[in-house]
Amino acid sequence: MLHKNQQNSHRPSKSSLTIVLKIGTSSVCNEVTHFPLLSNLSALVESVLNLKSLGHRVVLVTSAAVGTGLRRLNMSEKPSKLAARQAVAAVGQGRLMALYDDLFGQFHQPVAQILLTKNDLADRAQYLNAVNCLEELLDMGVVPIINENDSISTQGIRFGDNDSLSAVIAGMIKADYLFLLTDVDCLYTDNPRTNPNAKPVTICEDMLKLKEEVSVASMGSSLGTGGMATKLIAAELSTAAGVTTIITNGSKPYNVVKIIQADRETSAEFTKDHPLHTRFIAKNNPMMDRKWWIQYGLHTAGTIYVDEGAAKAVLAPRLRSSLFAAGIIDAEGHFGPQQAVNIVYRKMSKDGQTVEDIIIGKGLVNYSSIEINRIKRCHSTEIESILGYIDDDCVIRRDNLVRLQEQFEV
């Protein structure tokens, strides 16, 4: 059955879909020689053009800046030094983009390069500017080609892998489909290269149940940064935004068109007309844009630990309260106002010992970690006398708070 994201309001026609394709390093260049896999890339370009000819809008998220740079610099393996990897990525990104421009240029299809880090999306205004830019490019008929800006990325501002980046992009533009093109046909219960009894997983509606049933220990290629585990994380991110997510083989990009066409012609999720793939069903009630941005678009800068009363006030359906200083036990990490932090319920025993820490939410703080540690356990009316000023009567306002435990007995 053809899926349409109910939040997408930028359709040029009723039949138009917004589709994000993510292609991994192993599908772009040879893992040993680092030469580009031109047959794969040509098939990918033709598939994108086929989708566009059907009236769909397409975004391409690509890896392989480092792999392409290694070939250009005649280096045999990825350097271990961060600055060296960044330099190799800087060389490779230009070559990679030139390759795409040449291939799409054969069909007079304009493309645009966008390089992002998590830092670029941490500011709400910049996030919305990025969304507007992508929407405008798609309205112009351009194919945006997106990669993480590896030349300036550091651990704190990295998406970590392009699976997560593609999920964030899909959520930003409220895509209907996200295709994760990898080096296997679908997700298996175990690594099919080492376990002949591994079985394909075709449909997933419950991510928690799936994680209990499958092994995703493989780490991906020597050039890439992801593996099957990162694809499950990406699927969790994108389905929360109302995006149907599909894992399929990157060496057969024409399968993307076949899957879309088969979806259009049948009401079933998987039929004999569908090429082998794994489908993650989008959530029926997708998270609203701002809450999704807080949860998935922002780097988690620290942790706030809360007591039972605060956890109940934040989570109880009839309350859905803001988080106040009186319920805070401790603040961990170094963060400033308007940064995102995890909210953790610290479950205590009767003798005052920590029994369990449970993440119950994530939100934007109104005060720094230093300020929070000064006002914790205090009433809102005491904040001004302690700090000498008051920016807000609560530490996290409920509009800036995402609840990760909808039904949770404290």
Side-chain angles (χ1 to χ4, degrees):
M1 181 173 64
L2 197 66
H3 169 73
K4 289 190 177 181
N5 191 334
Q6 63 192 43
Q7 296 189 93
N8 191 325
S9 59
H10 282 82
R11 301 185 193 280
S13 68
K14 288 184 178 181
S15 61
S16 175
L17 298 173
T18 301
I19 300 168
V20 177
L21 306 180
K22 183 269 174 179
I23 187 164
T25 300
S26 61
S27 300
V28 175
C29 61
N30 185 283
E31 193 173 342
V32 178
T33 66
H34 309 142
F35 278 113
L37 301 174
L38 290 176
S39 58
N40 271 15
L41 291 171
S42 297
L44 174 68
V45 168
E46 290 179 5
S47 297
V48 171
L49 293 168
N50 282 341
L51 290 169
K52 285 185 64 62
S53 71
L54 295 170
H56 305 314
R57 310 189 310 163
V58 184
V59 174
L60 179 61
V61 178
T62 183
S63 301
V66 171
T68 307
L70 291 174
R71 176 68 265 161
R72 180 61 171 162
L73 296 170
N74 201 28
M75 296 171 67
S76 59
E77 58 185 31
K78 188 161 60 173
S80 57
K81 185 180 174 184
L82 174 62
R85 290 200 305 273
Q86 291 175 324
V88 170
V91 172
Q93 182 60 38
R95 299 290 293 180
L96 180 64
M97 197 62 204
L99 183 59
Y100 278 120
D101 194 42
D102 284 345
L103 290 170
F104 278 105
Q106 300 298 316
F107 303 92
H108 307 290
Q109 171 61 53
V111 296
Q113 173 182 257
I114 297 178
L115 301 177
L116 292 172
T117 67
K118 261 195 172 180
N119 234 22
D120 297 322
L121 307 180
D123 178 80
R124 181 65 177 171
Q126 285 186 210
Y127 172 88
L128 293 175
N129 282 340
V131 172
N132 291 337
C133 177
L134 283 167
E135 292 289 359
E136 194 64 30
L137 286 168
L138 292 170
D139 289 344
M140 289 177 174
V142 176
V143 175
I145 299 179
I146 303 172
N147 197 359
E148 182 156 15
N149 196 345
D150 292 322
S151 298
I152 63 169
S153 293
T154 56
Q155 192 63 37
I157 63 172
R158 283 182 59 81
F159 288 99
D161 59 85
N162 277 4
D163 295 321
S164 296
L165 174 59
S166 65
V168 170
I169 295 299
M172 287 170 64
I173 60 174
K174 300 173 178 61
D176 302 293
Y177 285 85
L178 166 63
F179 285 86
L180 301 173
L181 306 179
T182 185
D183 53 4
V184 290
D185 289 322
C186 63
L187 175 67
Y188 288 85
T189 53
D190 201 353
N191 190 338
R193 297 187 182 93
T194 57
N195 183 356
N197 296 318
K199 296 178 181 179
V201 178
T202 54
I203 296 176
C204 171
E205 296 187 57
D206 186 337
M207 190 66 74
L208 289 176
K209 185 178 178 182
L210 177 70
K211 288 177 179 177
E212 294 173 357
E213 295 175 350
V214 303
S215 170
V216 290
S218 62
M219 292 299 294
S221 71
S222 62
L223 294 178
T225 56
M228 200 55 73
T230 65
K231 287 167 180 57
L232 292 190
I233 294 170
E236 199 165 3
L237 266 64
S238 52
T239 53
V243 183
T244 286
T245 304
I246 290 173
I247 294 175
T248 190
N249 201 316
S251 65
K252 306 170 186 175
Y254 44 81
N255 279 350
V256 173
V257 181
K258 290 182 178 179
I259 290 169
I260 293 293
Q261 291 294 80
D263 278 8
R264 189 179 294 281
E265 293 166 7
T266 180
S267 59
E269 300 289 358
F270 197 95
T271 68
K272 60 180 178 59
D273 295 323
H274 284 89
L276 185 58
H277 68 278
T278 299
R279 179 183 303 255
F280 298 87
I281 307 299
K283 295 286 188 293
N284 289 327
N285 298 306
M287 196 177 291
M288 296 305 292
D289 180 69
R290 182 175 177 82
K291 297 291 182 81
W292 191 88
W293 168 70
I294 291 171
Q295 185 172 344
Y296 298 119
L298 297 182
H299 167 63
T300 304
T303 303
I304 290 177
Y305 295 92
V306 301
D307 61 19
E308 182 176 331
K312 283 181 177 178
V314 166
L315 295 176
R318 292 184 180 180
L319 295 176
R320 298 296 193 196
S321 170
S322 299
L323 178 62
F324 293 90
I328 295 176
I329 299 172
D330 195 15
E332 185 177 271
H334 298 283
F335 52 85
Q338 299 307 308
Q339 285 195 281
V341 301
N342 279 334
I343 303 166
V344 174
Y345 164 49
R346 176 155 282 176
K347 195 172 184 179
M348 310 291 286
S349 63
K350 290 182 180 180
D351 59 357
Q353 298 298 311
T354 301
V355 175
E356 187 179 9
D357 285 339
I358 305 169
I359 298 177
I360 62 171
K362 183 176 177 179
L364 299 179
V365 291
N366 294 320
Y367 295 95
S368 70
S369 53
I370 295 172
E371 291 167 327
I372 292 170
N373 276 322
R374 290 180 63 191
I375 63 175
K376 64 187 179 185
R377 291 306 198 186
C378 296
H379 194 272
S380 299
T381 56
E382 300 176 84
I383 292 177
E384 188 168 6
S385 62
I386 295 170
L387 298 179
Y389 53 87
I390 181 168
D391 290 333
D392 205 304
D393 64 350
C394 62
V395 174
I396 300 178
R397 192 156 290 283
R398 62 182 179 182
D399 292 342
N400 290 329
L401 195 157
V402 182
R403 293 159 186 84
L404 304 183
Q405 299 279 353
E406 289 300 326
Q407 295 184 356
F408 173 62
E409 295 295 330
V410 293

